[in-house]
């Protein structure tokens, strides 16, 4: 199979890091997940994961005004691979604290859940920086 | 997202439809704050038409629940749909918030 953007490519979409573009990324993701044949519930959680990552970029990557974000989708046969790429400030999800899921209503801290949801929604999460870009790779095994 | 409020006996039923995400969370928080300010503190939040929630949505559910508590109020959540329920369970929200299968069941538990 040869598609534009290399073997297994399901396509890519680029927009500026502004919240109003969230739905464009999510709609594109849903199309790619459908072409891959991902189950409905996993697709639903993945849609949430994309919001968490995109919102994080919108809030932190570009303090001087919104820059570009790209979502790449690839069908690698036994797995669906997504890459979210920004050109903003360095970021590493590994440094984000995990929420205390055992805490009750009183002691539960507000926030900290976004990256937790991302980790739960995928089989593998990998963040790295290359050529001035932050790249978050999400892998979902078939 | 759309929010409709209706009085029902001793409680107010707050029906939320659409998506509770980073774009709509502030609107939900404002609407709930307004209800609390009006003394409407026994709330049943009907999620039967809510298709989606993210951490931004969870954040405002938690903040409004925390605001209700010192006033002797309460928010109960009814009719969670599959995608919303998955996120609640994954994050432990199903054990910190009061979840009910229907508005009637929530009403009985109020």
């Amino acid at each position: 199979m040869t598609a534009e953007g290399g073997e297994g490519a399901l396509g890519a979409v680029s927009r500026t890091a502004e919240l109003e573009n969230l739905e464009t990324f999510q709609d594109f993701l849903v199309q790619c997940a459908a072409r891959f044949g991902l189950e409905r519930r996993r697709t639903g959680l993945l849609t949430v994961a994309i919001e968490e990552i995109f919102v994080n970029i919108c809030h932190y990557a570009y303090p001087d005004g919104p820059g570009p974000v790209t979502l790449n989708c690839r069908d690698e046969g036994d797995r669906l691979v997504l890459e979210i790429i920004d050109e903003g400030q360095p970021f590493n999800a590994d440094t984000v604290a995990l929420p205390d899921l055992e805490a009750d209503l009183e002691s539960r801290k507000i926030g900290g859940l976004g990256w937790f949801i991302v980790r739960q929604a995928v089989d593998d999460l990998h963040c790295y920086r290359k050529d001035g870009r932050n790249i978050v790779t999400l892998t979902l095994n078939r | 997202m759309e929010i409709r409020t209706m009085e029902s006996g001793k409680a107010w039923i707050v029906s939320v439809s659409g998506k509770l995400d980073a774009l709509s969370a502030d609107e939900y928080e404002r609407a709930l704050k307004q209800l609390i300010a009006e003394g409407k503190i026994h709330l049943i939040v009907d999620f039967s038409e809510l298709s989606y929630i993210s951490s931004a949505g969870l954040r405002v559910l938690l903040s409004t629940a925390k605001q209700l508590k010192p006033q002797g109020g309460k928010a109960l959540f009814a009719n969670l749909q599959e995608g919303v329920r998955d996120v609640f369970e994954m994050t432990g929200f199903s054990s910190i918030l009061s979840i009910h299968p229907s508005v009637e069941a929530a009403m009985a538990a109020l």
Side-chain angles (χ1 to χ4, degrees), chain A residues 6-138:
Chain A
E7 195 173 334
L10 294 169
V13 63
S14 293
R15 292 286 184 279
T16 50
E18 293 173 279
L19 288 183
E20 70 230 41
N21 290 324
L22 171 61
E23 208 163 5
T24 304
F25 286 101
Q26 290 179 320
D27 289 347
F28 175 70
L29 169 76
V30 168
Q31 286 171 29
C32 294
R35 282 167 65 190
F36 178 78
L38 196 70
E39 301 92 323
R40 189 186 64 229
R41 290 175 84 161
R42 291 177 86 196
T43 302
L45 288 173
L46 193 54
T47 316
V48 181
I50 290 296
E51 172 179 332
E52 305 300 349
I53 295 167
F54 182 67
V55 166
N56 191 69
I57 294 170
C58 291
H59 286 165
Y60 302 112
Y62 298 112
D64 301 326
V69 182
T70 298
L71 172 62
N72 262 319
C73 295
R74 213 162 53 237
D75 178 351
E76 295 192 350
D78 57 349
R79 58 196 183 166
L80 175 66
V81 180
L82 314 170
E83 280 178 336
I84 303 104
I85 304 160
D86 74 72
E87 298 169 20
Q89 299 200 94
F91 168 76
N92 190 340
D94 296 337
T95 61
V96 177
L98 287 176
D100 178 4
L101 297 181
E102 302 300 315
D104 60 12
L105 179 61
E106 259 83 314
S107 54
R108 186 80 179 242
K109 289 196 180 63
I110 292 177
L113 284 168
W115 283 101
F116 175 79
I117 293 174
V118 175
R119 288 191 183 94
Q120 298 293 309
V122 302
D123 292 305
D124 187 56
L125 166 69
H126 184 51
C127 303
Y128 61 102
R129 192 161 171 91
K130 191 185 174 191
D131 303 330
R133 295 182 159 106
N134 297 306
I135 304 171
V136 178
T137 306
L138 308 178

Side-chain angles (χ1 to χ4, degrees), chain B residues 6-56:
Chain B
M6 187 181 80
E7 190 168 15
S8 177
K10 56 184 177 175
W12 287 81
I13 298 172
V14 183
S15 305
V16 187
S17 59
K19 291 178 168 186
L20 195 41
D21 60 11
L23 290 149
S24 61
D26 287 350
E27 189 189 337
Y28 176 91
E29 190 167 38
R30 271 198 306 277
L32 271 281
K33 268 188 177 160
Q34 179 66 35
L35 289 173
I36 297 167
E38 291 167 4
K40 299 165 184 168
I41 55 170
H42 299 289
L43 306 174
I44 294 171
V45 184
D46 183 359
F47 276 168
S48 55
E49 290 175 57
L50 187 76
S51 59
Y52 175 99
I53 193 163
S54 65
S55 72

